[in-house]
Amino acid sequence: MLPNILKKGFLEARKTQESFWKSCYAEITQYKLHIYSTDSSGNHNAITAYPLAHIESITITGSHETKLVDVLLSDNSQLQLKADSAWEALDWGQKLWEGVRALTLVSDYITPQHGVITRLNPAGDNDYLETHGLSNTSNDFSRAINLTIGYQKNILKTGTLYRLTLQNNWKAFTFVLTSSHFTAYRPSCLDEDPVLSYSIDTCASVQMDNLDGYDSCFQVIFLQDVLRLRTETRQRAQEWMDAIISAANVARKPDQNVLVPLRNKSKEQLSLRELQKSKRQSVTTSFLGILTTLALERGLTAQSFKCAGCQRPIGLTSEKAKVCSYSGWYYCSSCHVDDGFIIPARLVHNWDTSKHKVSKQAKEFLEYVYEEPLIDVQQENPLLYRHVDALAQIVRLRQQLKSLRAYLFSCRAVVAEDLRRRIFPREYLFQQIHLYSLADLQQVVEGKLAPFLTKVIKFATSHVYSCSLCSQKGFICEICNNGEILYPFEENSTSRCENCGAVFHSDCKVKTVPCPRCVRKELQKKQKSFWKRLNVDDSWDESCSMFELSYQGT
């Protein structure tokens, strides 16, 4: 994206509520909102440009039914923009607001109220605010947007960020950056108290965090805590970092110095920490090797009657030994407090969805890998798809999503990014369809994964059918040749050849009918072999024998 472009993308626009919606391409630059039409070749033709300085108010309405950005201009004309989602509408309104604010002194503006971003009239009358705002709907998402803009003062940036928890899992939160605080809410729960809240003037540092090879992670260091955050792309991470740094510099007092240097730790403390880290890595490695292996109890003799955690004596005359259902090892009552957890091996091999008692070490490990895609069902137990209908449905949906991914990833970059954003951070769902995390399998049991995939598939299918580029990449059934356009993701009505990938009607393609494309390719190979042999072999009889057909047994 060019530096002078705040936002760009495809929208629907209209000038009045009575007019029809028209698809368009829009760009927000430093000074104007540009609207373009798009022809069949994908070229953009300028229609009009609205100076940001002429914008009087921006009203954002968001719900599942309406996702609109209402723009009121200084000549009392109106422009309505419709986005694909409520959060996208919020982002467009936010970028417009940022552009308008950049053109005028901050003192000329007041805090947005009820989803309306409005400029003060020249007389400075605070009653000049427009009263219309977000629609009063009971929808949680609409209420979330209302609260995000309406009840937060001096809002600078909002959006979804993924925070690294103590269990080493990425968890989504809605973060709100204002001129005084940096707060986090549970998604769609902005009417509740924030989960995290930090005073922005206590921010000591913001820096990139190359964690596990990701380039979209960054750290926000406060005096009392360190936030490790992640976004979908590196560009968005940089935008958040710049916004936080800017807000912290403005909020910091001239005589305030929050950059506290870290104290050097003694060698004894460092060696103890390294020892603990080495031990933790050793346990993690050993536990990872038995992730999908059913645990076997080997008896206390194999452990020399010592706890597998702290090495205290257990069994016989000592305290009672407790067995861990994940590893089969024995622990003392301090290292095993009867925590319950789903065992991956029992789930994969027996579809045992109940929780079993595990040790503290095993519980910590299972929480550590809970959202990591480490279980290949096709490799571990392919028969599970036959016996578990819910899992068979999931693999069909993932295959459908994988077919759709090929379309959207060959389309415009903004479309592929939208698909990644909807599936992030679980891109493996459409890349390796048999790979699951423990969280995925638990969602299969609870019936939550199928609706999530269906929602993403609905978005992707709708795009393919409506896109002038993707809709042209269909197939024609070569068996009936009726001219109907087929797509490989229409699994209920189509069938695909496993060898060449051709798509046919399910009724046309039965086992007794060979694939026409495969037959055609085989004939081409034989023709090449025929001419090659004619050029090499001078024996006419031997060459003609290639045409002899065997009629034995007729």
Side-chain angles (χ1 to χ4, degrees):
M1 185 177 292
L2 297 176
N4 61 335
I5 296 180
L6 300 179
K7 187 173 178 63
K8 61 181 180 179
F10 291 89
L11 295 169
E12 292 183 56
R14 67 181 182 183
K15 292 186 177 181
T16 62
Q17 295 184 355
E18 292 75 19
S19 57
F20 294 101
W21 290 104
K22 293 183 179 180
S23 298
C24 65
Y25 177 82
E27 287 182 350
I28 303 176
T29 63
Q30 293 179 347
Y31 303 104
K32 293 182 180 181
L33 168 63
H34 299 270
I35 303 295
Y36 302 87
S37 62
T38 307
D39 56 24
S40 57
S41 302
N43 300 319
H44 303 318
N45 303 314
I47 299 178
T48 184
Y50 299 93
L52 299 185
H54 294 176
I55 294 178
E56 291 295 328
S57 69
I58 303 169
T59 308
I60 303 172
T61 57
S63 66
H64 291 294
E65 293 78 18
T66 58
K67 312 167 185 67
L68 308 178
V69 179
D70 291 333
V71 180
L72 181 64
L73 303 173
S74 56
D75 58 355
N76 290 328
S77 60
Q78 187 181 10
L79 175 67
Q80 284 190 333
L81 304 175
K82 183 194 293 186
D84 290 336
S85 65
W87 284 114
E88 187 70 10
L90 175 63
D91 193 38
W92 276 96
Q94 196 75 16
K95 289 295 188 296
L96 279 173
W97 176 36
E98 292 174 3
V100 173
R101 286 204 324 163
L103 295 178
T104 314
L105 293 175
V106 179
S107 58
D108 291 338
Y109 288 84
I110 65 171
T111 304
Q113 298 292 338
H114 304 294
V116 183
I117 303 166
T118 309
R119 198 184 320 189
L120 281 174
N121 65 346
D125 185 5
N126 290 347
D127 295 333
Y128 183 70
L129 276 173
E130 298 183 40
T131 56
H132 61 278
L134 295 177
S135 56
N136 294 326
T137 175
S138 60
N139 186 278
D140 291 338
F141 197 63
S142 176
R143 185 170 63 251
I145 295 178
N146 189 4
L147 288 165
T148 302
I149 299 183
Y151 298 134
Q152 292 288 345
K153 294 184 178 181
N154 303 323
I155 186 171
L156 301 176
K157 193 172 182 62
T158 62
T160 301
L161 293 176
Y162 296 84
R163 173 177 174 255
L164 189 63
T165 63
L166 295 175
Q167 291 77 27
N168 206 52
N169 299 324
W170 291 105
K171 191 172 182 180
F173 293 93
T174 300
F175 279 83
V176 178
L177 174 64
T178 67
S179 59
S180 59
H181 286 83
F182 187 51
T183 54
Y185 299 84
R186 291 193 299 119
S188 302
C189 297
L190 297 178
D191 53 341
E192 300 179 359
D193 293 333
V195 180
L196 302 169
S197 181
Y198 303 93
S199 181
I200 197 66
D201 60 357
T202 63
C203 179
S205 176
V206 181
Q207 60 189 20
M208 291 300 296
D209 184 5
N210 296 324
L211 183 65
D212 298 332
Y214 294 113
D215 62 351
S216 58
C217 301
F218 63 99
Q219 291 183 6
V220 184
I221 303 174
F222 294 93
L223 292 180
Q224 69 274 31
D225 198 3
V226 176
L227 288 180
R228 308 186 79 169
L229 304 174
R230 180 183 174 190
T231 62
E232 294 90 339
T233 62
R234 181 182 178 88
Q235 179 183 351
R236 293 191 178 182
Q238 190 63 49
E239 290 175 357
W240 271 101
M241 289 173 61
D242 294 341
I244 296 171
I245 292 173
S246 177
N249 289 335
V250 172
R252 188 174 296 124
K253 298 177 182 179
D255 57 345
Q256 186 179 7
N257 184 13
V258 296
L259 296 177
V260 180
L262 296 177
R263 291 174 296 178
N264 294 327
K265 295 185 178 180
S266 63
K267 294 182 178 180
E268 291 79 7
Q269 289 178 320
L270 288 175
S271 60
L272 178 60
R273 184 174 180 179
E274 290 297 326
L275 182 62
Q276 292 174 344
K277 183 179 179 181
S278 175
K279 182 180 179 181
R280 189 180 297 110
Q281 289 178 345
S282 175
V283 172
T284 301
T285 303
S286 59
F287 278 174
L288 191 60
I290 59 173
L291 184 68
T292 56
T293 304
L294 292 171
L296 297 175
E297 296 184 36
R298 299 174 181 82
L300 284 170
T301 309
Q303 294 181 204
S304 302
F305 294 90
K306 292 182 179 180
C307 172
C310 63
Q311 300 300 309
R312 287 168 54 184
I314 53 175
L316 297 179
T317 58
S318 305
E319 64 175 300
K320 182 181 178 181
K322 291 185 176 182
V323 64
C324 174
S325 299
Y326 175 76
S327 62
W329 298 345
Y330 296 92
Y331 294 84
C332 65
S333 57
S334 299
C335 297
H336 193 319
V337 292
D338 297 335
D339 288 320
F341 218 95
I342 293 179
I343 309 299
R346 292 175 180 264
L347 189 62
V348 171
H349 295 289
N350 302 326
W351 201 242
D352 183 357
T353 60
S354 56
K355 293 184 178 181
H356 298 267
K357 295 178 181 180
V358 296
S359 63
K360 286 183 178 180
Q361 282 184 344
K363 182 175 182 290
E364 181 181 354
F365 167 76
L366 291 172
E367 288 177 342
Y368 181 82
V369 301
Y370 184 68
E371 294 184 352
E372 297 295 329
L374 300 173
I375 303 172
D376 190 329
V377 173
Q378 182 68 19
Q379 180 179 347
E380 299 294 340
N381 186 11
L383 295 178
L384 202 61
Y385 288 126
R386 298 184 184 179
H387 299 286
V388 182
D389 294 337
L391 202 59
Q393 179 192 8
I394 292 299
V395 78
R396 286 194 299 268
L397 291 174
R398 292 179 67 173
Q399 179 60 55
Q400 192 175 358
L401 189 58
K402 184 179 181 180
S403 301
L404 284 162
R405 171 186 176 271
Y407 281 85
L408 271 66
F409 273 51
S410 61
C411 192
R412 292 178 291 268
V414 66
V415 178
E417 183 181 352
D418 197 2
L419 179 62
R420 288 193 190 96
R421 179 178 59 81
R422 292 171 184 269
I423 207 77
F424 180 85
R426 297 191 286 180
E427 293 90 343
Y428 60 89
L429 288 176
F430 55 58
Q431 292 174 347
Q432 301 177 7
I433 63 174
H434 299 295
L435 210 56
Y436 297 83
S437 67
L438 191 55
D440 296 330
L441 293 175
Q442 188 164 359
Q443 285 189 344
V444 173
V445 175
E446 297 171 354
K448 295 180 180 180
L449 187 57
F452 169 75
L453 293 175
T454 304
K455 185 177 179 180
V456 179
I457 289 172
K458 184 178 179 181
F459 153 75
T461 338
S462 175
H463 168 79
V464 173
Y465 289 146
S466 60
C467 178
S468 58
L469 298 176
C470 297
S471 59
Q472 303 300 316
K473 301 175 184 177
F475 293 79
I476 300 294
C477 179
E478 296 186 31
I479 298 178
C480 66
N481 289 309
N482 67 352
E484 181 185 0
I485 299 178
L486 306 177
Y487 298 96
F489 54 81
E490 298 171 334
E491 296 190 348
N492 293 331
S493 58
T494 63
S495 176
R496 192 165 197 177
C497 177
E498 296 180 357
N499 297 324
C500 68
V503 181
F504 309 93
H505 290 107
S506 298
D507 297 335
C508 299
K509 184 69 175 71
V510 293
K511 293 183 179 180
T512 55
V513 179
C515 171
R517 180 181 287 185
C518 291
V519 172
R520 189 163 61 249
K521 287 184 176 181
E522 190 64 28
L523 289 176
Q524 290 174 352
K525 290 181 181 178
K526 289 185 177 181
Q527 288 177 359
K528 291 179 181 179
S529 175
F530 164 70
W531 291 110
K532 185 177 181 180
R533 291 188 62 180
L534 275 183
N535 292 334
V536 174
D537 194 351
D538 294 333
S539 175
W540 177 258
D541 294 336
E542 184 178 353
S543 299
C544 291
S545 67
M546 295 171 60
F547 295 97
E548 294 181 2
L549 300 179
S550 175
Y551 294 101
Q552 296 179 0
T554 59

